[in-house]
Amino acid sequence: MPDKKRKTPKLDELEKGEWPSFVKEIKSAADKNAMANDLLGQLERSYEEKIGHWKHGGIVGVLGYGGGVIGRYSDLPDEFPNVSHFHTMRINQPAGWFYTSDVLRKLCDIWEKHGSGLTNMHGSTGDLVFLGTRTEELEPTFKELTDLGFDLGGSGSDVRTPSCCCGMARCEWACYDTMALTYFLTMHYQDELHRPAFPYKWKFKMSGCPNDCVAAIARSDMSIIGTWRDDIQVDEAAVTEYAKAGMDIQKDVVGNCPAKCMEWDGKKLKIDNKACVKCMHCINAMPKALAPGKDRGACILIGAKAPIVEGALLSSVLIPFIKLVPPYTELIELVDKIHEVWSENGKNRERVGEFIQRVGMGNFLEAIGVEPTPEMVAHPRENPYVFYEEYFEEDESEENPKP
Protein backbone atom coordinates (compact mmCIF):
# COMPACT_ATOMS: atom_id res chain seq x y z
CA MET A 1 0.00 0.00 0.00
CA PRO A 2 1.33 3.51 -0.77
CA ASP A 3 2.31 5.60 2.27
CA LYS A 4 0.65 8.78 1.05
CA LYS A 5 -1.39 9.60 -2.03
CA ARG A 6 0.26 12.00 -4.46
CA LYS A 7 -1.38 15.34 -5.08
CA THR A 8 -1.96 15.81 -8.81
CA PRO A 9 -3.84 19.03 -9.64
CA LYS A 10 -2.74 19.05 -13.30
CA LEU A 11 -3.56 15.39 -13.87
CA ASP A 12 -6.93 15.96 -12.20
CA GLU A 13 -7.86 18.21 -15.12
CA LEU A 14 -7.52 15.22 -17.47
CA GLU A 15 -10.31 13.42 -15.63
CA LYS A 16 -12.81 16.08 -16.61
CA GLY A 17 -15.05 15.72 -19.63
CA GLU A 18 -16.97 12.88 -21.22
CA TRP A 19 -14.13 10.61 -22.30
CA PRO A 20 -12.57 7.84 -20.19
CA SER A 21 -9.37 8.96 -18.49
CA PHE A 22 -6.12 7.06 -18.03
CA VAL A 23 -5.59 9.18 -14.90
CA LYS A 24 -8.69 7.70 -13.30
CA GLU A 25 -7.40 4.18 -13.97
CA ILE A 26 -3.93 4.94 -12.55
CA LYS A 27 -5.52 6.44 -9.44
CA SER A 28 -7.60 3.30 -9.01
CA ALA A 29 -4.45 1.16 -9.15
CA ALA A 30 -2.61 3.60 -6.88
CA ASP A 31 -5.04 2.88 -4.02
CA LYS A 32 -3.21 -0.40 -3.41
CA ASN A 33 0.00 -0.21 -5.46
CA ALA A 34 2.99 1.97 -4.57
CA MET A 35 4.36 1.91 -8.14
CA ALA A 36 1.15 3.35 -9.55
CA ASN A 37 1.15 6.00 -6.83
CA ASP A 38 4.70 7.13 -7.63
CA LEU A 39 3.82 7.05 -11.33
CA LEU A 40 1.16 9.68 -10.64
CA GLY A 41 3.75 11.82 -8.88
CA GLN A 42 6.27 11.63 -11.72
CA LEU A 43 3.63 12.30 -14.37
CA GLU A 44 2.47 15.36 -12.44
CA ARG A 45 6.05 16.59 -12.32
CA SER A 46 6.34 16.10 -16.10
CA TYR A 47 3.21 18.17 -16.71
CA GLU A 48 4.54 20.92 -14.45
CA GLU A 49 8.00 21.08 -16.02
CA LYS A 50 7.05 20.00 -19.58
CA ILE A 51 9.88 17.45 -19.43
CA GLY A 52 9.62 13.68 -19.71
CA HIS A 53 11.44 12.07 -16.78
CA TRP A 54 11.93 8.60 -18.26
CA LYS A 55 15.27 7.36 -19.49
CA HIS A 56 16.57 4.18 -21.12
CA GLY A 57 19.40 2.60 -19.22
CA GLY A 58 20.43 -0.35 -21.35
CA ILE A 59 18.84 -3.62 -22.40
CA VAL A 60 16.86 -5.71 -19.95
CA GLY A 61 15.00 -8.94 -20.59
CA VAL A 62 14.57 -12.57 -19.64
CA LEU A 63 17.17 -15.30 -20.10
CA GLY A 64 17.49 -16.47 -23.71
CA TYR A 65 15.29 -13.72 -25.18
CA GLY A 66 16.43 -10.51 -26.84
CA GLY A 67 12.96 -8.98 -27.09
CA GLY A 68 9.67 -8.68 -25.25
CA VAL A 69 10.79 -6.24 -22.54
CA ILE A 70 11.20 -2.49 -23.00
CA GLY A 71 13.55 -1.08 -20.38
CA ARG A 72 12.50 2.14 -18.67
CA TYR A 73 13.96 4.00 -15.70
CA SER A 74 13.10 7.20 -13.85
CA ASP A 75 15.64 10.01 -13.81
CA LEU A 76 14.18 11.05 -10.42
CA PRO A 77 14.75 7.77 -8.50
CA ASP A 78 15.27 9.42 -5.13
CA GLU A 79 12.00 11.33 -5.31
CA PHE A 80 9.98 8.49 -6.87
CA PRO A 81 11.75 5.30 -5.72
CA ASN A 82 8.92 2.94 -6.62
CA VAL A 83 9.27 3.78 -10.32
CA SER A 84 13.07 3.92 -10.39
CA HIS A 85 12.59 0.84 -12.61
CA PHE A 86 9.42 0.84 -14.70
CA HIS A 87 9.91 -1.78 -17.43
CA THR A 88 7.19 -2.71 -19.91
CA MET A 89 6.52 -6.36 -20.80
CA ARG A 90 4.80 -7.29 -24.06
CA ILE A 91 2.71 -10.46 -23.79
CA ASN A 92 1.89 -12.43 -26.94
CA GLN A 93 -1.88 -12.17 -27.28
CA PRO A 94 -4.13 -15.04 -28.45
CA ALA A 95 -5.10 -14.84 -32.13
CA GLY A 96 -8.14 -12.62 -32.58
CA TRP A 97 -7.79 -11.38 -28.95
CA PHE A 98 -10.02 -14.12 -27.57
CA TYR A 99 -9.73 -14.54 -23.79
CA THR A 100 -11.75 -16.27 -21.11
CA SER A 101 -12.60 -14.21 -18.03
CA ASP A 102 -10.74 -16.78 -15.92
CA VAL A 103 -7.50 -16.26 -17.87
CA LEU A 104 -7.84 -12.47 -17.70
CA ARG A 105 -8.18 -12.66 -13.91
CA LYS A 106 -5.06 -14.84 -13.68
CA LEU A 107 -3.08 -12.44 -15.89
CA CYS A 108 -4.11 -9.50 -13.71
CA ASP A 109 -3.23 -11.43 -10.55
CA ILE A 110 0.29 -12.05 -11.92
CA TRP A 111 0.76 -8.38 -12.73
CA GLU A 112 -0.59 -7.06 -9.43
CA LYS A 113 1.85 -9.41 -7.69
CA HIS A 114 4.94 -8.49 -9.73
CA GLY A 115 4.27 -5.07 -11.26
CA SER A 116 2.20 -1.90 -11.18
CA GLY A 117 -1.11 -3.58 -11.98
CA LEU A 118 -1.47 -1.30 -15.01
CA THR A 119 -2.14 -2.85 -18.41
CA ASN A 120 -2.75 -1.74 -21.97
CA MET A 121 -5.36 -3.89 -23.72
CA HIS A 122 -3.81 -3.85 -26.36
CA GLY A 123 -0.74 -2.16 -27.78
CA SER A 124 -0.71 -1.02 -31.39
CA THR A 125 1.44 -4.02 -32.31
CA GLY A 126 -1.24 -6.28 -30.85
CA ASP A 127 0.32 -7.44 -27.62
CA LEU A 128 -1.21 -7.34 -24.18
CA VAL A 129 1.05 -4.78 -22.50
CA PHE A 130 2.10 -4.93 -18.83
CA LEU A 131 3.20 -1.44 -17.78
CA GLY A 132 5.82 -1.08 -15.08
CA THR A 133 7.93 -3.56 -13.13
CA ARG A 134 11.41 -3.86 -11.63
CA THR A 135 14.32 -5.74 -13.18
CA GLU A 136 14.32 -8.41 -10.48
CA GLU A 137 10.64 -9.14 -11.14
CA LEU A 138 11.07 -9.95 -14.85
CA GLU A 139 12.06 -13.61 -14.47
CA PRO A 140 9.40 -14.45 -11.83
CA THR A 141 6.73 -12.79 -13.98
CA PHE A 142 7.92 -14.67 -17.07
CA LYS A 143 7.80 -18.00 -15.22
CA GLU A 144 4.23 -17.47 -14.09
CA LEU A 145 3.20 -16.35 -17.57
CA THR A 146 4.67 -19.46 -19.19
CA ASP A 147 3.04 -21.65 -16.54
CA LEU A 148 -0.26 -20.07 -17.63
CA GLY A 149 0.51 -20.81 -21.30
CA PHE A 150 1.59 -17.31 -22.38
CA ASP A 151 4.81 -16.11 -23.99
CA LEU A 152 6.47 -12.74 -24.46
CA GLY A 153 5.85 -10.87 -27.68
CA GLY A 154 8.31 -9.09 -29.94
CA SER A 155 10.22 -5.86 -29.44
CA GLY A 156 13.23 -4.32 -31.09
CA SER A 157 14.48 -5.33 -34.56
CA ASP A 158 12.63 -8.63 -34.77
CA VAL A 159 9.37 -10.14 -35.97
CA ARG A 160 6.76 -8.37 -33.89
CA THR A 161 3.84 -10.35 -32.48
CA PRO A 162 1.61 -11.31 -35.44
CA SER A 163 -1.97 -10.09 -35.01
CA CYS A 164 -5.25 -10.54 -36.83
CA CYS A 165 -8.96 -9.86 -36.87
CA CYS A 166 -11.36 -12.50 -35.55
CA GLY A 167 -11.69 -13.91 -39.08
CA MET A 168 -13.82 -16.98 -39.56
CA ALA A 169 -14.47 -17.23 -35.83
CA ARG A 170 -17.10 -14.49 -36.00
CA CYS A 171 -17.14 -12.85 -39.43
CA GLU A 172 -18.94 -14.14 -42.50
CA TRP A 173 -16.83 -11.96 -44.81
CA ALA A 174 -13.54 -13.65 -43.90
CA CYS A 175 -11.88 -15.01 -47.05
CA TYR A 176 -9.26 -17.11 -45.24
CA ASP A 177 -8.62 -18.35 -41.70
CA THR A 178 -6.78 -15.40 -40.18
CA MET A 179 -6.47 -16.99 -36.75
CA ALA A 180 -4.95 -20.21 -38.10
CA LEU A 181 -2.38 -18.25 -40.13
CA THR A 182 -1.53 -16.01 -37.17
CA TYR A 183 -0.91 -19.00 -34.93
CA PHE A 184 1.19 -20.67 -37.64
CA LEU A 185 3.36 -17.58 -38.23
CA THR A 186 3.81 -17.08 -34.48
CA MET A 187 5.06 -20.63 -34.05
CA HIS A 188 7.11 -20.76 -37.27
CA TYR A 189 9.03 -17.54 -36.56
CA GLN A 190 9.76 -18.15 -32.87
CA ASP A 191 13.49 -17.54 -33.25
CA GLU A 192 12.98 -14.36 -35.31
CA LEU A 193 10.37 -13.16 -32.80
CA HIS A 194 12.49 -13.57 -29.67
CA ARG A 195 16.00 -12.81 -30.96
CA PRO A 196 16.31 -9.54 -32.90
CA ALA A 197 18.43 -9.97 -36.04
CA PHE A 198 16.83 -7.68 -38.67
CA PRO A 199 17.69 -4.12 -39.73
CA TYR A 200 14.52 -3.05 -37.91
CA LYS A 201 11.09 -4.31 -36.88
CA TRP A 202 8.90 -6.55 -39.07
CA LYS A 203 5.12 -6.71 -38.55
CA PHE A 204 2.65 -9.26 -39.89
CA LYS A 205 -1.01 -8.25 -39.71
CA MET A 206 -3.86 -10.36 -41.05
CA SER A 207 -7.32 -9.10 -42.07
CA GLY A 208 -9.88 -11.55 -43.35
CA CYS A 209 -11.46 -9.21 -45.90
CA PRO A 210 -10.80 -5.82 -47.56
CA ASN A 211 -12.54 -4.00 -44.69
CA ASP A 212 -9.15 -4.50 -42.97
CA CYS A 213 -10.38 -4.28 -39.39
CA VAL A 214 -6.82 -4.42 -37.99
CA ALA A 215 -5.65 -1.56 -40.26
CA ALA A 216 -2.91 -3.79 -41.67
CA ILE A 217 -2.49 -1.72 -44.83
CA ALA A 218 -1.46 1.29 -42.74
CA ARG A 219 0.58 -0.40 -40.01
CA SER A 220 2.34 -3.59 -41.10
CA ASP A 221 5.39 -4.49 -43.12
CA MET A 222 3.43 -7.39 -44.59
CA SER A 223 -0.34 -6.95 -44.83
CA ILE A 224 -2.28 -10.12 -45.65
CA ILE A 225 -5.77 -9.05 -46.72
CA GLY A 226 -8.54 -11.51 -47.57
CA THR A 227 -10.05 -11.15 -51.04
CA TRP A 228 -11.74 -13.13 -53.82
CA ARG A 229 -11.19 -13.49 -57.58
CA ASP A 230 -14.58 -14.59 -58.91
CA ASP A 231 -17.91 -12.74 -59.01
CA ILE A 232 -19.58 -11.07 -56.05
CA GLN A 233 -22.45 -13.26 -54.86
CA VAL A 234 -25.81 -11.54 -55.45
CA ASP A 235 -29.20 -12.41 -53.95
CA GLU A 236 -31.60 -10.65 -56.34
CA ALA A 237 -34.59 -11.06 -54.01
CA ALA A 238 -32.70 -9.45 -51.15
CA VAL A 239 -31.66 -6.54 -53.40
CA THR A 240 -35.34 -6.00 -54.19
CA GLU A 241 -36.15 -6.04 -50.46
CA TYR A 242 -33.56 -3.32 -49.81
CA ALA A 243 -35.16 -1.19 -52.55
CA LYS A 244 -38.66 -1.76 -51.17
CA ALA A 245 -37.47 -0.82 -47.68
CA GLY A 246 -36.46 2.61 -48.99
CA MET A 247 -32.75 2.29 -49.77
CA ASP A 248 -31.66 4.54 -52.64
CA ILE A 249 -29.51 1.91 -54.35
CA GLN A 250 -28.51 4.25 -57.16
CA LYS A 251 -27.29 6.97 -54.82
CA ASP A 252 -26.03 5.03 -51.80
CA VAL A 253 -24.56 1.96 -53.50
CA VAL A 254 -23.96 2.45 -57.23
CA GLY A 255 -23.07 6.14 -56.90
CA ASN A 256 -20.45 5.41 -54.24
CA CYS A 257 -18.70 2.62 -56.13
CA PRO A 258 -15.10 3.82 -56.69
CA ALA A 259 -14.66 1.56 -59.72
CA LYS A 260 -17.98 2.63 -61.30
CA CYS A 261 -18.59 -1.04 -62.07
CA MET A 262 -22.27 -1.23 -61.03
CA GLU A 263 -25.58 -0.39 -62.69
CA TRP A 264 -29.11 -0.24 -61.26
CA ASP A 265 -32.14 0.11 -63.51
CA GLY A 266 -34.65 0.09 -60.67
CA LYS A 267 -35.20 -3.64 -60.89
CA LYS A 268 -31.88 -5.40 -61.39
CA LEU A 269 -28.36 -4.77 -60.10
CA LYS A 270 -25.59 -5.45 -62.61
CA ILE A 271 -21.92 -5.74 -61.60
CA ASP A 272 -18.95 -5.69 -63.96
CA ASN A 273 -16.82 -7.93 -61.77
CA LYS A 274 -13.71 -7.55 -63.97
CA ALA A 275 -13.59 -3.86 -63.02
CA CYS A 276 -14.36 -4.42 -59.30
CA VAL A 277 -11.57 -3.30 -56.95
CA LYS A 278 -12.91 -5.30 -53.96
CA CYS A 279 -13.51 -2.22 -51.79
CA MET A 280 -16.42 -3.90 -49.92
CA HIS A 281 -18.62 -0.78 -50.02
CA CYS A 282 -21.58 -2.43 -51.75
CA ILE A 283 -21.31 -5.53 -49.54
CA ASN A 284 -21.21 -3.38 -46.39
CA ALA A 285 -24.22 -1.39 -47.62
CA MET A 286 -26.33 -4.47 -48.49
CA PRO A 287 -24.94 -7.36 -46.43
CA LYS A 288 -28.09 -9.48 -46.84
CA ALA A 289 -27.95 -9.19 -50.64
CA LEU A 290 -24.24 -9.24 -51.52
CA ALA A 291 -21.28 -11.33 -50.38
CA PRO A 292 -17.67 -11.94 -51.43
CA GLY A 293 -17.18 -14.51 -54.17
CA LYS A 294 -16.58 -18.19 -53.47
CA ASP A 295 -13.01 -18.39 -54.85
CA ARG A 296 -11.39 -16.85 -51.81
CA GLY A 297 -7.80 -16.21 -50.75
CA ALA A 298 -5.68 -13.17 -49.92
CA CYS A 299 -3.77 -10.26 -51.38
CA ILE A 300 -0.28 -9.73 -49.96
CA LEU A 301 0.93 -6.16 -49.59
CA ILE A 302 4.25 -4.87 -48.33
CA GLY A 303 5.90 -1.83 -46.81
CA ALA A 304 3.58 0.11 -44.49
CA LYS A 305 4.79 2.03 -41.46
CA ALA A 306 3.93 4.95 -39.21
CA PRO A 307 5.91 8.21 -39.42
CA ILE A 308 9.09 8.29 -37.34
CA VAL A 309 12.14 9.65 -39.16
CA GLU A 310 10.51 9.57 -42.60
CA GLY A 311 6.82 9.95 -43.40
CA ALA A 312 4.10 7.33 -43.13
CA LEU A 313 3.75 4.69 -45.85
CA LEU A 314 0.78 2.62 -46.93
CA SER A 315 1.59 -0.88 -48.09
CA SER A 316 1.83 -1.71 -51.81
CA VAL A 317 0.50 -4.77 -53.62
CA LEU A 318 3.09 -7.52 -53.87
CA ILE A 319 1.04 -10.66 -54.66
CA PRO A 320 -2.46 -9.85 -56.00
CA PHE A 321 -3.92 -13.22 -55.05
CA ILE A 322 -2.75 -16.27 -53.16
CA LYS A 323 -4.56 -19.27 -51.72
CA LEU A 324 -3.74 -19.53 -48.02
CA VAL A 325 -4.01 -23.11 -46.83
CA PRO A 326 -1.66 -25.10 -44.58
CA PRO A 327 1.27 -25.64 -44.70
CA TYR A 328 1.53 -22.14 -46.27
CA THR A 329 4.68 -23.14 -48.19
CA GLU A 330 4.39 -20.47 -50.89
CA LEU A 331 3.95 -17.69 -48.33
CA ILE A 332 6.87 -18.82 -46.16
CA GLU A 333 9.21 -19.06 -49.16
CA LEU A 334 8.27 -15.50 -50.14
CA VAL A 335 8.74 -14.11 -46.61
CA ASP A 336 12.08 -15.85 -46.13
CA LYS A 337 13.38 -14.47 -49.43
CA ILE A 338 12.31 -10.93 -48.47
CA HIS A 339 13.97 -11.28 -45.07
CA GLU A 340 17.17 -12.49 -46.74
CA VAL A 341 17.37 -9.59 -49.20
CA TRP A 342 16.36 -6.95 -46.64
CA SER A 343 18.71 -8.26 -43.94
CA GLU A 344 21.62 -8.36 -46.39
CA ASN A 345 21.09 -4.90 -47.88
CA GLY A 346 18.96 -2.88 -45.46
CA LYS A 347 20.40 -0.06 -43.37
CA ASN A 348 20.14 0.04 -39.58
CA ARG A 349 16.60 1.02 -38.49
CA GLU A 350 15.37 0.94 -42.08
CA ARG A 351 11.92 -0.61 -42.45
CA VAL A 352 11.36 -2.80 -45.48
CA GLY A 353 9.08 -0.15 -47.06
CA GLU A 354 11.85 2.44 -46.79
CA PHE A 355 14.31 -0.09 -48.19
CA ILE A 356 12.07 -0.63 -51.22
CA GLN A 357 11.78 3.12 -51.73
CA ARG A 358 15.57 3.44 -51.65
CA VAL A 359 16.45 0.61 -54.03
CA GLY A 360 13.33 0.82 -56.22
CA MET A 361 10.48 -1.63 -56.53
CA GLY A 362 11.84 -3.05 -59.78
CA ASN A 363 15.19 -3.97 -58.20
CA PHE A 364 13.44 -5.35 -55.13
CA LEU A 365 11.14 -7.57 -57.17
CA GLU A 366 14.07 -8.88 -59.17
CA ALA A 367 16.01 -9.66 -55.98
CA ILE A 368 13.16 -11.68 -54.46
CA GLY A 369 12.23 -13.38 -57.72
CA VAL A 370 8.71 -11.97 -58.14
CA GLU A 371 7.44 -10.95 -61.58
CA PRO A 372 5.91 -7.44 -61.87
CA THR A 373 2.14 -7.27 -62.46
CA PRO A 374 -0.25 -4.44 -63.40
CA GLU A 375 -1.56 -4.34 -59.81
CA MET A 376 1.80 -2.88 -58.74
CA VAL A 377 1.14 0.60 -60.17
CA ALA A 378 1.58 3.60 -57.93
CA HIS A 379 -1.69 5.21 -59.07
CA PRO A 380 -4.38 4.16 -61.55
CA ARG A 381 -3.74 5.10 -65.18
CA GLU A 382 -0.18 6.23 -64.51
CA ASN A 383 3.13 4.72 -65.50
CA PRO A 384 4.01 1.79 -63.25
CA TYR A 385 6.99 2.15 -60.96
CA VAL A 386 8.40 -1.15 -62.24
CA PHE A 387 9.94 -1.59 -65.66
CA TYR A 388 9.64 -4.57 -67.95
CA GLU A 389 13.01 -5.79 -69.18
CA GLU A 390 11.44 -7.11 -72.41
CA TYR A 391 10.58 -3.52 -73.36
CA PHE A 392 14.20 -2.40 -73.07
CA GLU A 393 15.42 -5.47 -74.94
CA GLU A 394 13.08 -4.67 -77.85
CA ASP A 395 14.15 -1.02 -77.80
CA GLU A 396 17.83 -1.91 -77.87
CA SER A 397 17.35 -4.37 -80.75
CA GLU A 398 15.72 -1.64 -82.84
CA GLU A 399 18.53 0.81 -82.16
CA ASN A 400 21.24 -1.78 -82.84
CA PRO A 401 19.93 -4.08 -85.59
CA LYS A 402 21.92 -7.14 -86.33
CA PRO A 403 24.06 -6.86 -89.55
Side-chain angles (χ1 to χ4, degrees):
M1 293 287 289
D3 296 330
K4 184 174 68 173
K5 282 193 175 183
R6 300 281 183 178
K7 293 183 178 180
T8 56
K10 290 191 178 294
L11 291 180
D12 294 346
E13 291 294 315
L14 297 177
E15 292 186 87
K16 299 176 181 179
E18 300 179 3
W19 299 103
S21 169
F22 73 94
V23 175
K24 179 180 178 181
E25 299 304 321
I26 298 175
K27 285 183 177 180
S28 177
D31 289 338
K32 54 182 179 181
N33 188 291
M35 290 189 81
N37 190 48
D38 271 10
L39 175 63
L40 286 171
Q42 181 162 311
L43 283 174
E44 181 71 16
R45 174 68 69 85
S46 292
Y47 275 87
E48 289 173 357
E49 299 177 353
K50 298 182 175 61
I51 297 172
H53 286 287
W54 298 113
K55 64 178 182 177
H56 291 274
I59 297 173
V60 291
V62 299
L63 187 63
Y65 282 24
V69 179
I70 295 93
R72 187 173 290 114
Y73 300 88
S74 170
D75 66 3
L76 300 171
D78 295 333
E79 190 169 349
F80 305 105
N82 294 299
V83 292
S84 57
H85 300 194
F86 201 74
H87 309 315
T88 289
M89 299 184 75
R90 288 182 176 162
I91 316 304
N92 196 322
Q93 82 284 354
W97 298 287
F98 283 98
Y99 297 90
T100 64
S101 56
D102 178 59
V103 162
L104 284 173
R105 288 189 179 95
K106 289 177 180 176
L107 286 167
C108 290
D109 288 344
I110 291 171
W111 197 232
E112 286 183 349
K113 177 180 176 182
H114 295 288
S116 70
L118 298 169
T119 65
N120 180 347
M121 304 284 288
H122 286 80
S124 61
T125 293
D127 305 273
L128 162 58
V129 179
F130 282 177
L131 292 162
T133 192
R134 296 188 60 81
T135 303
E136 60 267 23
E137 295 293 340
L138 293 174
E139 288 290 353
T141 306
F142 180 57
K143 181 183 185 306
E144 293 193 30
L145 285 168
T146 53
D147 289 345
L148 189 58
F150 282 81
D151 194 4
L152 295 188
S155 69
S157 299
D158 61 10
V159 170
R160 296 299 179 86
T161 311
S163 63
C164 66
C165 68
C166 61
M168 291 179 172
R170 295 193 64 188
C171 181
E172 61 187 311
W173 304 146
C175 295
Y176 72 97
D177 193 336
T178 57
M179 293 175 64
L181 180 59
T182 298
Y183 178 77
F184 174 83
L185 291 173
T186 302
M187 301 306 292
H188 183 83
Y189 288 110
Q190 280 290 291
D191 194 59
E192 290 83 357
L193 200 155
H194 293 307
R195 297 167 185 88
F198 293 148
Y200 203 18
K201 66 184 83 169
W202 172 278
K203 295 183 180 182
F204 289 108
K205 292 190 185 296
M206 278 63 70
S207 287
C209 79
N211 279 325
D212 191 14
C213 290
V214 295
I217 291 174
R219 304 190 301 149
S220 62
D221 299 274
M222 179 165 279
S223 321
I224 304 177
I225 310 297
T227 188
W228 63 96
R229 57 181 173 183
D230 56 346
D231 294 351
I232 293 174
Q233 300 181 69
V234 182
D235 184 334
E236 295 288 355
V239 174
T240 301
E241 287 300 314
Y242 274 108
K244 287 182 178 179
M247 174 178 278
D248 188 337
I249 294 177
Q250 179 60 45
K251 178 183 176 183
D252 298 332
V253 181
V254 175
N256 286 326
C257 174
K260 307 301 179 188
C261 68
M262 309 181 78
E263 292 182 9
W264 170 249
D265 62 6
K267 294 181 180 179
K268 187 175 179 64
L269 183 67
K270 294 181 180 180
I271 303 174
D272 179 4
N273 282 278
K274 291 181 179 179
C276 176
V277 294
K278 314 294 193 300
C279 76
M280 292 289 289
H281 169 71
C282 61
I283 296 173
N284 293 332
M286 299 193 293
K288 294 180 180 179
L290 305 176
K294 295 180 180 180
D295 186 8
R296 300 182 179 187
C299 175
I300 298 176
L301 303 96
I302 192 164
K305 73 174 194 69
I308 302 178
V309 178
E310 300 292 337
L313 294 173
L314 294 179
S315 54
S316 304
V317 171
L318 183 64
I319 305 295
F321 187 88
I322 184 174
K323 284 285 191 181
L324 286 175
V325 293
Y328 307 109
T329 304
E330 189 177 355
L331 175 63
I332 294 303
E333 289 177 353
L334 173 67
V335 173
D336 288 350
K337 187 62 178 176
I338 294 170
H339 285 172
E340 179 185 345
V341 172
W342 174 49
S343 296
E344 184 70 24
N345 301 286
K347 296 179 179 180
N348 185 40
R349 296 180 70 84
E350 182 177 52
R351 296 287 285 274
V352 72
E354 296 168 317
F355 169 67
I356 292 169
Q357 278 193 325
R358 178 167 62 85
V359 303
M361 179 61 87
N363 292 328
F364 175 73
L365 292 174
E366 184 175 358
I368 64 172
V370 172
E371 289 295 319
T373 66
E375 288 85 356
M376 295 176 182
V377 296
H379 301 285
R381 288 177 288 279
E382 285 191 11
N383 290 331
Y385 50 71
V386 294
F387 297 96
Y388 296 85
E389 292 181 358
E390 293 83 354
Y391 172 83
F392 291 107
E393 289 171 1
E394 291 174 5
D395 190 51
E396 288 173 3
S397 65
E398 290 174 2
E399 292 179 2
N400 304 293
K402 293 181 180 180

